[in-house]
């Protein structure tokens, strides 16, 4: 022990140092995410301009006084629309992710804990469902329900359920067979206690990490469906819808496309950066 | 949707569609069984969607098309709606087995015919995009793996952006720069090969981002393995260690992901075709979804499952060729 | 191809220039702030076998790899003199290093399953060396590969060359790895723990093979944590600790009359195969009184598919007694442990605990009895819930107690295994290997078990830590009268601790009896083979008297 201890301790210390080091990228990402949360919760704090107020006389005005990011083809303020658009793009993405994570985790846990045959059957079902391209699955839902905000939430949520269900089931399986769960059994603890104390916490632990990264993908999916005209209907300011509208004016008014494109990209990049940081920290902690 | 992250990649080392079939069934049999299972599940999912949709099945199948008593009678006859539920389902499966994808009552044409006419442009687009993705990813990963910190940071930042930018945003940027500003490529259409360049880039760049990350991670992991140390101890140059040893190891996780890339490319084709005004399966899908033309939507789901199954089987084979441990196992 | 063995004129003439001469070697990793080697001097004469011995983290591997310019990414290597293969290594660029590697020195690592490229055939790996250094022209290469494999004792070399590492047994693929290391006829073989992953009988074969290469005139730098392995082959031994050489000299001298305390400590810690070393506390009579056994295993069998992992095994374990179970990998030791723990139901036979049924009980009825039989696993980290602190881990079996008492009891248990209460809030990953195993022991003691099953409890530990943990187990047994089922592949460790021993092979018990009796007069040929294969330290004078 005399030999090994200092090594282990210094390794732990250097790991702690690495974790504590301030990463400028992460700080920036968290700042952007904080602003986005404000935009979703209270867009009125950021801009007082009505995102729906049209002014045909000032249509396609370039960025300048009064309209910091210019106006669109109906003369609406692009900045206000981008700010209010956060609620649609990120809100739908978040709700869809919540639906997918919630349902997916429950199904995955059920499949992981169920008796062998039922669990296998569920697992195979997830496998098959996750082979479909998510966008096509979402479009299949939309074909039935029609376009609209809530339908997009349901469509994307359902399309992403198999992904989470698979991950959670695999994790449940690993934890169930782990040395520490077996060890807990040898203490004579009841099955319920072993599941509650050892299995559940270790299965659920990584889910928020997954959800953070998954949220970015859900936002992309949301704006993609909106871009195709399936999301919140005009005049609602959704980023994907705004991009779709801007395409016809790209030659004369690139700013109309620029702002929602940047907002969308920045959101997803920041969510991904934050998610990966969580993931690294998580993986650093568990073997 | 655009490329998801490696964090959500399917678990490595599993066969076709991640399905497991008892080992006593030989490999070819197993592959066939899983392929059939996936196709059956796709057909059943599409059928379930039809049943679960609120409202009368005939109304749903008519969709936004012309609603005449003749068409309604035709639907009842062709879908066997006057017969028991089980018979209906089985005759639906039987029809699919014969390669009959049904009929679009809006367009009054066979679905198979509609899709067949649109396969060409989509295949060209997805293949070109796949080529863009693979070539870029391999080139960048090999060039930067194990290099000093800065090139790797720059590349991984670029990959992060490529992964995070939706395909249609990439597409709009490409359109703005290369079509509207520089005028190098046409804005839309699919008439000449030049028109393929921008859509293929828009569709392929996110794939390159994910694939590049996976490959680079794989290369770096392989270069730390004992066998890489052994290879260096034989006097091999670092480039030879990458080319002869590490690259094959890095390809393994990439190959397991490739089935998933198929899905990304197929889904992304819908958006890319809409943005660039290209004909193709994506365009047909969008028209069908907008017009609630269920037979076409269902057929697209089944077709994409079939494509997926085929590609997975090929990749399974490739995996076995690369990894001898699977061959003898 | 007998010419292979003696292709080179023997250069070991007296006064020949050393192959390697390093002075004041310092290797550091600035990125992590680690100074792995801190001023080491080393020379290797042609045909000589030098051993670097030390525990994990002593810098022995880094030293060896520095000699071929592979200290690792980000390493800074400095030395006041650094001559390798007649050149000044301080001036070497990548090109010069590549000429040294393979051609001047071949490297043999631990575990060929991962040290040979698992995606390539064994033949391709050997051919790579031949091609890189252009040893023989291309058409002659397949024949040379065959000859090399034959020279290292691989039977049917033609077929083996076309196989992948995973298709070969552990011993064969280690031989193939050696073949690739000697393909360019290097003057020096660097062997870094070349036998560590191997069963003891295979280890003996590989050591013999390395000795053959040495006899053929190749110099050998052998790196090992195991003094006994080194004793069989080394001319000179360097003992390393914390990046420094603490003792150096002719092998026999260092191993029999060590001058440095640390060497003495290492030697004392090696569980000796000779009699009389058993039971350091010596408080218990080696033959237990004929009472009822606490654990009785009667004719149990378990099959995985068509393979019988455990086949008709019976034994009795009495209070205060230690029953050792030895066997090589795949002999069914761990399956036997799981059977005894009631984690696996036998296909046939029965396990009974304290005279009552055990394996026959439904899990619900087994639960209340479980505290009486506890386990200590080889890798404690696997058996710790990754989210829990040491305090929670140790208190986990004490769910019946109120919170306050649980904490007190946890502190008391840590004290028993020699750990301070400050560790309560720490996470197992922050602890050293020895500390982790102590935590595992503390936790196993929490329920005051009558039977303690130890499955390779010290295999992952350095030898000095190993000795401390073994002493702790013996001490606990002496105090509590716990019955120990002690499973290990290491015969020295088993002999050190056990009263009786079972020798297992392919799921069956081939020999059983009093540990001294079995080790001194083995009856079964397999036991004899095992015992003969164990590398031994040269006898020190005092042992010669008692042994």
């Amino acid at each position: 022990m005399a030999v090994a201890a200092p090594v282990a301790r210094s390794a732990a210390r250097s790991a702690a140092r690495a974790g504590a080091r301030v990463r400028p990228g992460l700080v920036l990402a968290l700042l952007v995410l904080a602003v986005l949360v404000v935009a979703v919760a209270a867009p009125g704090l950021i801009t007082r301009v009505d995102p729906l107020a049209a002014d045909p006389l000032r249509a396609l005005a370039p960025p300048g006084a009064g309209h910091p990011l210019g106006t669109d083809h109906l003369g609406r303020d692009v900045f206000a629309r981008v700010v209010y658009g956060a609620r649609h793009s990120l809100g739908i993405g978040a709700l869809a992710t919540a639906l997918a994570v919630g349902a997916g985790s429950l199904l995955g846990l059920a499949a992981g804990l169920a008796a062998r045959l039922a669990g296998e059957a569920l697992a195979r079902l997830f496998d098959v469902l996750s082979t479909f391209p998510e966008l096509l699955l979402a479009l299949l839902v939309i074909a039935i329900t029609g376009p609209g905000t809530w339908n997009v939430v349901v469509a994307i949520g359902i399309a992403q359920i198999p992904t989470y269900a698979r991950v959670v089931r695999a994790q449940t399986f690993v934890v169930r067979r782990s040395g520490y769960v077996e060890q807990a059994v040898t203490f004579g603890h009841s099955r319920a206690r072993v599941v509650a104390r050892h299995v559940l916490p270790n299965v659920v632990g990584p889910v928020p990490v997954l959800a953070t990264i998954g949220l970015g993908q859900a936002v992309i999916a949301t704006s993609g469906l909106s871009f195709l005209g399936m999301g919140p209907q005009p005049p609602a300011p959704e980023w994907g819808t705004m991009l779709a509208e801007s395409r016809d004016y790209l030659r004369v008014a690139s700013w109309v496309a620029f702002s929602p494109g940047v907002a969308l990209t920045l959101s997803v990049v920041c969510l991904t950066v934050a998610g990966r940081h969580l993931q690294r920290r998580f993986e650093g902690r568990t073997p | 949707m655009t490329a998801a992250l490696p964090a959500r990649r399917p678990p490595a080392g599993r066969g076709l569609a991640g399905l497991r079939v008892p080992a006593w069934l030989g490999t070819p049999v197993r592959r066939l069984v899983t392929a059939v299972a996936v196709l059956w599940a796709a057909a059943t999912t599409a059928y379930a969607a039809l049943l679960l949709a609120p409202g009368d099945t005939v109304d749903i199948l008519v969709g936004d098309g012309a609603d005449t008593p003749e068409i309604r009678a035709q639907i009842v006859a062709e879908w066997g709606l006057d017969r028991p539920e089980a018979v209906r389902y089985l005759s639906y499966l039987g029809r699919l087995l014969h390669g009959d994808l049904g009929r679009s009552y809006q367009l009054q044409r066979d679905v198979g015919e509609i899709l067949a006419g649109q396969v060409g442009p989509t295949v060209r687009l997805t293949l070109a995009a796949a080529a863009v993705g693979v070539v870029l990813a391999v080139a960048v990963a090999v060039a930067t793996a194990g290099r000093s910190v800065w090139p790797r940071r720059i590349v991984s930042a670029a990959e992060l952006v490529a992964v995070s930018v939706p395909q249609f945003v990439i597409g709009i940027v490409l359109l703005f720069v290369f079509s509207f500003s520089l005028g190098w490529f046409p804005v839309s259409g699919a008439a000449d090969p030049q028109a393929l360049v921008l859509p293929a880039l828009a569709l392929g760049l996110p794939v390159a981002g994910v694939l590049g990350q996976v490959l680079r991670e794989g290369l770096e992991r392989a270069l730390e393995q004992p066998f890489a140390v052994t290879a260096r101890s034989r006097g091999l140059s670092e480039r030879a260690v990458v080319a002869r040893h590490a690259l094959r190891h890095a390809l393994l996780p990439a190959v397991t992901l490739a089935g998933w890339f198929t899905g990304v490319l197929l889904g992304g084709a819908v958006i890319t075709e809409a943005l660039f005004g290209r004909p193709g399966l994506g365009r047909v899908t969008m028209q069908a979804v907008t017009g609630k033309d269920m037979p076409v939507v269902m057929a697209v789901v089944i077709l994409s499952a079939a494509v997926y199954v085929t590609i997975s089987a090929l990749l399974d084979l490739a995996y076995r060729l690369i990894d001898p441990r699977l061959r003898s196992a | 191809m007998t010419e292979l063995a003696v292709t080179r004129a023997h250069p070991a003439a007296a006064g020949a220039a050393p192959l390697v001469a390093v002075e004041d070697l310092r290797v550091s990793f600035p990125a992590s702030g680690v100074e792995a080697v801190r001023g080491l001097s080393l020379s290797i004469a042609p045909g000589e076998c030098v051993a670097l011995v030390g525990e994990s983290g002593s810098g022995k591997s880094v030293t060896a790899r520095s000699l071929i310019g592979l200290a690792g990414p980000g390493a800074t290597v400095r030395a006041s003199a650094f001559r390798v293969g007649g050149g000044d290594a301080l001036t070497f660029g990548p090109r010069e290093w590549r000429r040294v590697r393979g051609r001047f020195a071949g490297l043999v690592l631990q575990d060929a399953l991962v040290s040979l490229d698992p995606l390539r055939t064994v033949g391709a790996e050997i051919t790579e060396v031949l091609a890189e250094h252009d040893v023989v022209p291309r058409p002659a290469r397949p024949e040379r590969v065959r000859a090399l494999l034959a020279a290292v004792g691989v039977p049917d070399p033609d077929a083996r060359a076309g196989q992948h590492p995973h298709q070969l047994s552990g011993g064969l693929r280690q031989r193939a790895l050696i073949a690739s290391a000697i393909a360019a006829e290097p003057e020096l073989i660097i062997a870094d723990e070349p036998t560590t992953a191997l069963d003891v009988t295979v280890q003996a074969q590989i050591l013999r093979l390395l000795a053959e290469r040495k006899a053929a005139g190749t110099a050998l730098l052998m790196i090992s944590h195991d003094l006994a392995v080194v004793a069989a082959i080394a001319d000179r031994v360097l003992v390393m600790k914390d990046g420094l050489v603490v003792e150096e000299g002719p092998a026999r001298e260092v191993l029999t009359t060590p001058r440095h305390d640390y060497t003495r400590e290492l030697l004392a810690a090696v569980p000796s195969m000779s009699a009389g070393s058993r039971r350091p506390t010596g408080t218990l009579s080696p033959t237990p009184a004929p009472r009822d056994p606490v654990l009785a295993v009667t004719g149990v069998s378990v099959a995985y598919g068509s393979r019988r992992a455990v086949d008709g095994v019976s034994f009795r374990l009495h209070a205060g007694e230690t029953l050792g179970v030895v066997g090589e990998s795949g002999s069914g030791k761990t399956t036997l442990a799981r059977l005894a723990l009631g984690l696996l139901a036998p296909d046939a036979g029965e396990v009974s605990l304290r005279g009552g049924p055990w394996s026959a009980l439904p899990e619900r009825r087994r639960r209340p009895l479980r505290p009486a039989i506890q386990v200590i696993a080889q890798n404690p980290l696997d058996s710790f819930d990754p989210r829990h602190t040491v305090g929670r881990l140790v208190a986990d079996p004490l769910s019946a107690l109120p919170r306050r008492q649980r904490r007190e009891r946890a502190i008391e248990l840590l004290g028993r295994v020699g750990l301070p209460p400050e560790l309560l809030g720490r996470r197992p990953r922050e602890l050293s290997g020895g500390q982790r195993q102590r935590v595992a022991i503390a936790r196993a003691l929490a329920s005051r078990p009558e039977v303690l099953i130890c499955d390779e409890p010290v295999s992952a530990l350095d030898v000095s830590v190993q000795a401390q943990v073994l002493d702790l187990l013996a001490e606990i047994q002496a105090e509590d009268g716990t019955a120990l089922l002690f499973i290990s592949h290491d015969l020295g460790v088993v002999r050190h601790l056990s009263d009786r021993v079972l020798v297992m092979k392919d799921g069956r018990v081939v020999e059983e009896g009093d540990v001294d009796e079995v080790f001194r007069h083995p009856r079964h040929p397999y036991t004899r083979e095992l015992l003969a294969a164990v590398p031994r330290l040269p006898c020190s004078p005092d042992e010669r008297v008692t042994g």
Side-chain angles (χ1 to χ4, degrees):
Chain A
M1 207 157 46
V3 182
V7 178
R9 222 171 290 139
S10 76
R13 220 180 295 132
S14 67
R17 243 200 331 257
R21 201 176 57 214
V22 179
R23 296 164 192 274
L26 180 68
V27 172
L28 216 62
L30 292 178
L31 274 176
V32 172
L33 290 179
V35 172
L36 289 173
V37 168
V38 174
V40 171
L45 289 179
I46 299 178
T47 177
R48 300 195 163 279
V49 181
D50 181 357
L52 302 182
D55 181 1
L57 293 177
R58 300 212 50 188
L60 298 177
H67 299 289
L69 297 180
T71 62
D72 68 3
H73 60 291
L74 296 178
R76 296 174 295 195
D77 184 57
V78 172
F79 179 67
R81 287 180 69 73
V82 169
V83 170
Y84 277 84
R87 178 172 285 181
H88 286 99
S89 299
L90 300 179
I92 293 174
L95 287 173
T97 305
L99 173 69
V101 168
S105 302
L106 284 178
L107 286 169
L109 260 178
L113 292 175
R116 188 181 292 175
L117 224 104
E120 279 285 298
L122 267 175
R124 295 293 85 82
L125 182 70
F126 304 147
D127 286 347
V128 168
L129 285 178
S130 64
T131 63
F132 296 136
E134 283 181 357
L135 188 85
L136 282 185
L137 215 54
L139 282 177
L140 180 66
V141 175
I142 299 243
I144 295 164
T145 59
T149 304
W150 290 103
N151 295 345
V152 169
V153 170
V154 172
I156 293 174
I158 289 180
Q160 295 193 338
I161 285 176
T163 313
Y164 290 101
R166 273 182 80 170
V167 173
V168 169
R169 180 196 169 261
Q171 175 76 5
T172 311
F173 224 68
V174 170
V175 171
R176 252 183 87 175
R177 295 177 159 199
S178 67
Y180 53 88
V181 165
E182 184 153 274
Q183 195 82 28
V185 170
T186 68
F187 298 145
H189 294 324
S190 68
R191 188 178 148 82
R193 187 192 146 104
V194 173
V195 168
R197 289 285 176 90
H198 298 285
V199 179
L200 277 185
N202 282 297
V203 170
V204 173
V207 167
V209 179
L210 284 179
T212 312
I213 296 178
L215 176 56
Q217 299 306 310
V219 170
I220 290 182
T222 305
S223 59
L225 283 179
S226 303
F227 178 80
L228 293 172
M230 300 298 154
Q233 295 302 298
E238 204 281 344
W239 293 341
T241 317
M242 290 169 72
L243 278 163
E245 288 168 351
S246 76
R247 188 191 176 277
D248 298 334
Y249 311 98
L250 209 50
R251 192 184 297 274
V252 288
S254 55
W255 58 85
V256 185
F258 179 78
S259 307
V262 167
L264 190 52
T265 305
L266 203 59
S267 312
V268 180
V269 167
C270 291
L271 281 169
T272 309
V273 168
R276 286 192 189 167
H277 176 75
L278 281 177
Q279 195 175 25
R280 261 197 299 272
R281 276 190 52 173
F282 198 84
E283 280 169 359
R285 196 155 63 82
T286 53
Chain B
M1 35 220 72
T2 25
L5 289 160
R8 291 163 65 205
R9 74 181 77 132
R14 309 222 8 231
L16 165 62
L19 296 185
R20 266 180 292 132
V21 170
W24 49 266
L25 285 170
T27 325
V29 181
R30 256 188 289 166
R31 202 173 294 148
L32 200 67
V33 168
T34 43
V36 171
V38 170
L39 285 177
W40 168 76
T44 306
T45 307
Y47 190 78
L50 184 64
L51 287 189
L52 290 175
D56 180 47
T57 309
V58 179
D59 287 340
I60 295 163
L61 286 170
V62 172
D64 294 348
D67 194 354
T68 65
E70 293 79 46
I71 286 178
R72 294 191 83 89
Q74 190 189 359
I75 291 174
V76 169
E78 285 183 5
W79 285 81
L81 294 178
D82 47 355
R83 288 186 287 168
E85 195 70 61
V87 177
R88 245 188 261 173
Y89 173 62
L90 288 178
S91 73
Y92 160 77
L93 287 184
R95 223 175 53 198
L96 288 177
L97 269 183
H98 288 100
D100 179 3
L101 289 170
R103 196 172 170 74
S104 162
Y105 303 103
Q106 292 184 15
L107 305 173
Q108 281 298 326
R109 282 173 68 195
D110 273 342
V111 175
E113 204 180 293
I114 298 173
L115 298 184
Q118 302 295 331
V119 163
T122 304
V123 167
R124 277 197 291 279
L125 171 64
T126 44
L127 284 184
V132 166
V134 170
V135 169
L136 265 179
V138 171
V140 171
V142 168
T144 57
R147 284 295 165 83
S148 55
V149 177
W150 273 106
R152 268 161 62 201
R153 273 198 192 152
I154 292 167
V155 169
S156 77
E159 281 166 350
L160 175 65
V161 173
V163 167
S164 302
V165 185
Q167 282 150 345
F168 57 90
V169 173
I170 295 180
I172 284 178
V173 171
L174 292 174
L175 268 181
F176 177 71
V177 174
F178 293 104
S179 295
F180 294 124
S181 302
L182 298 173
W184 290 358
F185 299 103
V187 174
S188 66
D192 53 322
Q194 281 211 329
L196 189 59
V197 175
L198 294 185
L201 277 176
L203 191 53
L205 278 176
V207 171
V210 176
L211 198 59
Q213 282 177 347
V214 173
L215 277 178
R216 203 154 42 85
E217 263 173 44
L219 275 180
E220 277 164 14
R221 209 175 308 125
L223 286 173
E224 286 169 7
Q225 298 293 311
F227 66 79
V229 176
T230 307
R232 288 188 197 109
S233 82
R234 293 178 185 141
L236 265 63
S237 66
E238 201 58 27
R239 199 176 306 156
V241 177
V242 169
R244 283 192 224 157
H245 295 274
L247 195 57
R248 278 178 91 180
H249 288 262
L251 279 177
L252 287 177
V255 169
T256 48
L257 267 184
W260 172 84
F261 283 124
T262 314
V264 171
L265 289 175
L266 284 179
V270 178
I271 287 176
T272 312
E273 285 174 10
L275 175 63
F276 289 93
R278 287 175 60 86
L281 290 177
R283 174 82 77 78
V284 172
T285 309
M286 277 322 296
Q287 281 163 358
V289 170
T290 317
K292 298 198 166 187
D293 193 349
M294 271 311 272
V296 175
V297 178
M298 289 167 71
V300 167
V301 168
I302 295 165
L303 181 70
S304 72
V307 170
Y308 178 87
V309 161
T310 315
I311 290 184
S312 293
L314 290 177
L315 292 171
D316 218 33
L317 218 62
Y319 203 102
R320 269 158 215 284
L321 282 180
I322 300 177
D323 194 342
R325 287 167 293 190
L326 288 176
R327 255 179 274 155
S328 54
Chain C
M1 257 333 227
T2 42
E3 85 228 31
L4 262 177
V6 281
T7 33
R8 216 178 26 256
H10 202 296
L19 299 175
V20 172
V22 196
E23 257 157 65
D24 197 24
L25 177 71
R26 291 168 184 275
V27 186
S28 59
F29 296 87
S32 56
V34 173
E35 264 194 89
V37 182
R38 306 182 296 154
L40 169 141
S41 298
L42 169 72
S43 78
I44 304 170
E48 184 188 27
C49 175
V50 178
L52 274 181
V53 177
E55 298 188 294
S56 51
S58 61
K60 53 190 195 303
S61 273
V62 175
T63 304
R65 290 178 191 196
S66 308
L67 300 185
I68 48 173
L70 289 175
T76 310
V77 179
R78 278 167 303 168
S80 62
F82 195 171
R83 297 196 64 82
V84 174
D88 183 1
L90 291 172
T91 64
F92 280 3
R95 187 179 295 271
E96 288 78 19
W97 275 123
R98 284 177 50 201
R99 267 203 291 274
V100 166
R101 295 179 200 144
R103 189 60 154 171
F104 167 74
L107 179 67
V108 178
L109 294 172
Q110 179 183 341
D111 193 3
L113 188 59
V114 287
S115 302
L116 288 171
D117 190 333
L119 302 186
R120 307 179 83 211
T121 61
V122 165
E125 290 281 275
I126 300 173
T127 309
E128 186 171 86
V129 189
L130 300 177
E132 186 66 31
H133 298 285
D134 211 10
V135 180
V136 288
R138 185 186 288 268
R141 282 174 199 157
E143 173 55 24
R144 180 56 72 96
V145 168
R146 205 196 61 78
L148 280 162
L149 284 172
V152 296
V154 172
D156 196 5
D158 280 321
R160 297 301 183 186
Q163 288 184 314
H164 291 88
H166 73 278
Q167 292 166 305
L168 305 183
S169 70
L172 282 186
R173 57 177 175 251
Q174 200 69 16
R175 286 172 190 270
L177 180 61
I178 292 174
S180 86
I182 63 172
E185 295 157 37
E187 293 171 63
L188 173 68
I189 298 175
I190 299 176
D192 190 350
E193 303 271 4
T195 62
T196 299
L198 303 175
D199 278 330
V200 60
T201 48
V202 183
Q203 166 171 292
Q205 296 163 11
I206 297 296
L207 287 176
R208 227 171 306 156
L209 174 60
L210 287 172
E212 275 169 28
R213 301 312 311 172
K214 187 188 150 203
T218 313
L220 198 56
L221 177 62
M222 177 103 165
I223 292 98
S224 181
H225 69 283
D226 190 334
L227 289 159
V229 162
V230 159
I233 189 167
D235 300 317
R236 273 194 305 134
V237 172
L238 281 74
V239 180
M240 283 190 78
K241 181 177 195 283
D242 298 337
L244 289 170
V245 171
V246 296
E247 178 158 5
E248 177 179 0
R252 198 161 182 92
E253 236 167 72
V254 171
L255 296 176
T256 53
T257 50
R259 291 186 307 275
H260 195 276
D261 284 345
Y262 180 68
T263 317
R264 268 196 286 274
E265 205 181 296
L266 278 184
L267 283 166
V270 174
S272 171
M273 290 293 298
S274 56
S277 62
R278 180 163 61 92
R279 299 220 157 276
T281 47
T283 45
L284 262 149
S285 74
T287 42
R291 285 157 293 159
D292 288 336
V294 276
L295 182 72
V297 171
T298 318
V300 292
S301 298
V302 165
Y304 295 128
S306 60
R307 200 177 71 83
R308 308 201 109 183
V310 168
D311 193 358
V313 171
S314 302
F315 64 82
R316 305 251 171 294
L317 180 64
H318 296 86
E321 179 194 32
T322 302
L323 177 62
V325 180
V326 289
E328 298 187 295
S329 50
S331 61
K333 301 179 306 248
T334 295
T335 308
L336 189 62
R338 291 172 53 82
L339 280 166
L341 279 165
L343 291 171
L344 188 68
D347 296 336
E350 207 202 339
V351 183
S352 61
L353 185 69
R354 296 196 288 198
W358 175 244
S359 64
L361 291 176
E363 180 61 28
R364 184 188 303 274
R365 304 238 330 262
R366 195 153 43 211
R367 256 177 224 142
L369 301 176
R370 282 200 175 277
I373 179 165
Q374 291 291 298
V375 62
I376 299 165
Q378 172 176 4
N379 184 356
L381 216 45
D382 285 345
S383 75
F384 294 156
D385 190 320
R387 299 164 37 261
H388 288 185
T389 58
V390 168
R392 273 192 79 176
L393 286 169
V394 174
D396 196 13
L398 305 168
S399 52
L401 293 180
R403 182 178 284 268
R404 246 195 106 77
Q405 282 180 37
R406 246 186 293 170
R407 193 185 145 77
E408 277 166 21
R409 179 98 171 98
I411 292 174
E412 183 192 323
L413 285 164
L414 284 185
R416 254 202 101 178
V417 298
L419 292 178
E422 292 85 69
L423 293 189
L424 275 182
R426 299 274 283 277
R427 293 193 185 273
R429 290 185 71 85
E430 302 166 21
L431 306 182
S432 69
Q435 286 174 322
R436 285 173 196 160
Q437 201 53 283
R438 281 167 193 267
V439 171
I441 294 173
R443 181 176 61 171
L445 295 178
S447 62
R448 303 181 211 275
E450 290 171 46
V451 181
L452 208 47
I453 294 177
C454 310
D455 187 1
E456 302 271 8
V458 295
S459 307
L461 302 177
D462 278 331
V463 58
S464 59
V465 186
Q466 218 173 54
Q468 292 164 8
V469 171
L470 290 177
D471 285 350
L472 176 65
L473 284 171
E475 198 180 296
I476 283 163
Q477 182 179 40
E479 286 166 19
D480 297 1
T482 319
L484 288 184
L485 184 67
F486 192 90
I487 295 167
S488 181
H489 71 282
D490 186 330
L491 284 90
V493 166
V494 166
R495 177 156 213 199
H496 185 74
L497 208 66
S498 309
D499 302 304
R500 285 187 303 129
V501 65
L502 301 180
V503 182
M504 287 189 74
K505 183 180 193 324
D506 300 332
R508 292 171 168 277
V509 174
V510 296
E511 182 156 0
E512 172 179 8
D514 176 80
V515 75
D516 288 335
E517 192 58 31
V518 171
F519 276 54
R520 222 176 275 163
H521 309 292
R523 291 189 307 274
H524 194 278
Y526 177 69
T527 317
R528 278 199 284 271
E529 191 190 334
L530 267 185
L531 285 168
V534 175
R536 283 156 210 268
L537 290 169
C539 289
S540 57
D542 55 321
E543 273 181 357
R544 230 170 273 144
V545 176
T546 52

